[in-house]
Amino acid sequence: MGRILKNIGARQNKVKTKLFSPLAIRDVTIKNRIGLSPMLTYAAEHGFMSDWHFAHYAKFALGGAGLIMIESTKADPRGCTTPRDPGLWKDDFIPAIAKIAQFAKSQGATVGIQLGHSGRKARNSVPWEGRLPLGPEQKGVDHGEEWELIAPSAIAAGVKSQVPHELSVTEIHELIETFGQAVLRAEKAGLDIVEVHGAHGYLVHQFCSEHANQRTDAYGGSFNNRMRFALELIEHVRFLWPQGKPLFYRISAVDEQGWSIEDSVKLCRELKLKGVDMIDCSSGGMSEGSVMASASRPGFGYQVPYAQQIRAEAGIMTQAVGLIIHADQAEKILRQGQADMVAIGREMLNNPHWAFDAANKLGDESAFKTIPANYSYWLEKRAGSGFGKNTSTWAAGISQT
């Protein structure tokens, strides 16, 4: 009887958390504030997603994430970071993406896709093969076409990289339309959200950067001119993307080549006016180095202050990313108003059921509703036997239970 009363009391003490409260954006309601951060998996073949991608994304939907953001998918084959990037530059890619979206949505998740273009940072080997620049002998991803590097200016990404072709104004306009066609395909695939990748030293970020963009026409020079490509791109995407569906923008809030948080605030104010609903706040990528590999290692939530400042000063919703690992950490970020959502990346690879684990640890009343009944029935039954906090994600080993 004592154990029964104890279990009943535990159930009565369940709480409502900010992390597991829904978030309505336009006509879309995300069931909780947890997003899967878009992470390239370098598993596509000639731009096509496969059963590997289906299995990859399905497990996060089953694990309770509110938003599944499909990895950076390229609107233009020239924009692939590696030969293994997925694409959305032709209709043939739609069925595989639609299959992922349909399943994830059947599990209650909202599904988005990040559309990107690597610009001068395209045409590299995959990371575990060194992510080294590949020469012009490397043929294109789609059908063995010539793989041309393009950028706002004819400036190489690094000492080992080749000098890209500087886009003409006509080519810039054509590229914006290329993104527009990818957006229409995203709608056909049944996706709920589109995120434009404007971070990490890729093409949109290159246009914004005074270091990478040294044009003297309407798309270069002054700050307003350097913003022009991003704003025209967003304006076109917003026009084509259904008005009831949210539009996100990933930003490098600061970078290593002079872009500041104040610059990001200015840009985000303009992005909001053009119809962006949420800023996904990352950083860096304009140099060849990685913050994760630097001598001064980043700490927990090292990018959260960027999300907080952009949210406060640009008056727009933000998503915080970067070493958000623990449930109480994520809850605190939201409670303190530093962001409206958190995006979990590598920690979700470590634990695809991070959302359920977080709900359980926070004592949220919806913990066992976070995952399918096929799982929750058995896990709740085991928790009722006194083993709810003796799982592998609570302790390092049996000696600590």
Side-chain angles (χ1 to χ4, degrees), residues 64-354:
L67 171 61
I68 306 298
M69 187 64 76
I70 295 173
E71 64 199 89
S72 180
T73 302
K74 302 309 187 292
D76 172 8
R78 296 172 297 177
C80 291
T81 306
T82 78
R84 302 298 302 276
D85 286 21
L88 200 47
W89 59 79
K90 58 184 180 182
D91 290 351
D92 296 357
F93 297 136
I94 294 173
I97 297 173
K99 181 180 177 182
I100 293 168
Q102 183 177 21
F103 178 80
K105 291 167 75 168
S106 75
Q107 301 305 308
T110 300
V111 188
I113 193 166
Q114 184 185 74
L115 295 178
H117 194 299
S118 297
R120 68 180 189 172
K121 290 181 70 173
R123 207 176 67 194
N124 299 282
S125 61
V126 296
W128 44 90
E129 294 176 358
R131 195 165 180 170
L132 299 172
L134 301 172
E137 70 278 359
Q138 172 66 51
K139 299 306 178 184
V141 175
D142 195 345
H143 55 274
E145 72 280 11
E146 293 300 313
W147 193 338
E148 179 185 42
L149 298 183
I150 61 174
S153 296
I155 302 171
V159 294
K160 296 181 180 179
S161 302
Q162 291 199 320
V163 175
H165 163 68
E166 181 176 310
L167 291 163
S168 69
V169 172
T170 298
E171 289 171 329
I172 289 172
H173 295 164
E174 290 172 350
L175 194 55
I176 289 172
E177 180 54 34
T178 296
F179 267 87
Q181 292 303 308
V183 167
L184 295 177
R185 294 185 186 103
E187 166 65 7
K188 290 179 182 178
L191 297 164
D192 303 304
I193 294 172
V194 158
E195 175 173 282
V196 171
H197 198 339
H200 301 162
Y202 297 131
L203 185 66
V204 181
H205 187 186
Q206 290 162 28
F207 267 94
C208 292
S209 168
E210 190 173 20
H211 176 79
N213 180 355
Q214 296 183 11
R215 302 174 70 95
T216 57
D217 61 9
Y219 290 92
S222 70
F223 182 82
N224 286 340
N225 280 0
R226 286 183 281 112
M227 283 196 303
R228 190 181 305 277
F229 177 73
L231 296 179
E232 288 184 356
L233 175 59
I234 286 297
E235 187 172 38
H236 190 56
V237 167
R238 181 72 273 177
F239 174 74
L240 295 174
W241 188 237
Q243 289 302 303
K245 293 189 175 186
L247 177 59
F248 287 17
Y249 184 95
R250 173 161 271 202
I251 197 169
S252 279
V254 300
D255 69 25
E256 315 86 344
Q257 301 289 351
W259 183 265
S260 68
I261 185 65
E262 290 76 21
D263 292 331
S264 288
V265 169
K266 292 176 186 177
L267 174 58
C268 290
R269 287 174 181 155
E270 297 301 318
L271 291 170
K272 180 181 179 181
L273 293 176
K274 296 293 185 183
V276 169
D277 300 291
M278 182 171 288
I279 305 296
D280 187 4
C281 300
S282 189
S283 67
M286 192 52 72
S287 72
E288 294 182 88
S290 167
V291 67
M292 298 301 288
S294 65
S296 178
R297 297 293 176 88
F300 287 117
Y302 68 103
Q303 295 176 144
V304 172
Y306 305 139
Q308 181 177 10
Q309 188 168 346
I310 289 172
R311 184 177 190 263
E313 296 183 14
I316 191 169
M317 288 187 287
T318 61
Q319 180 170 246
V321 306
L323 290 178
I324 299 172
I325 292 176
H326 298 289
D328 57 349
Q329 176 195 10
E331 177 70 8
K332 185 177 179 181
I333 290 167
L334 299 175
R335 287 281 179 192
Q336 292 184 338
Q338 293 177 287
D340 298 275
M341 288 189 69
V342 295
I344 312 297
R346 296 176 200 187
E347 191 58 27
M348 201 82 86
L349 297 179
N350 183 57
N351 177 10
H353 285 78
W354 190 92

Side-chain angles (χ1 to χ4, degrees), residues 3-20:
R3 174 174 287 183
I4 293 173
L5 291 174
K6 183 178 180 181
N7 289 335
I8 292 173
R11 292 193 182 104
Q12 290 175 338
N13 289 332
K14 293 292 184 181
V15 298
K16 290 184 177 181
T17 64
K18 187 75 172 178
L19 190 61
F20 289 91

Side-chain angles (χ1 to χ4, degrees), residues 25-64:
I25 310 175
R26 295 187 183 249
D27 295 342
V28 173
T29 298
I30 305 170
K31 68 178 180 179
N32 58 47
R33 308 297 180 100
I34 301 165
L36 171 71
S37 195
M39 295 176 286
L40 269 167
T41 59
Y42 306 105
E45 294 284 350
H46 301 292
F48 284 92
M49 294 190 189
S50 66
D51 287 346
W52 193 97
H53 294 87
F54 180 85
H56 172 68
Y57 290 109
K59 65 177 179 281
F60 302 118
L62 291 169

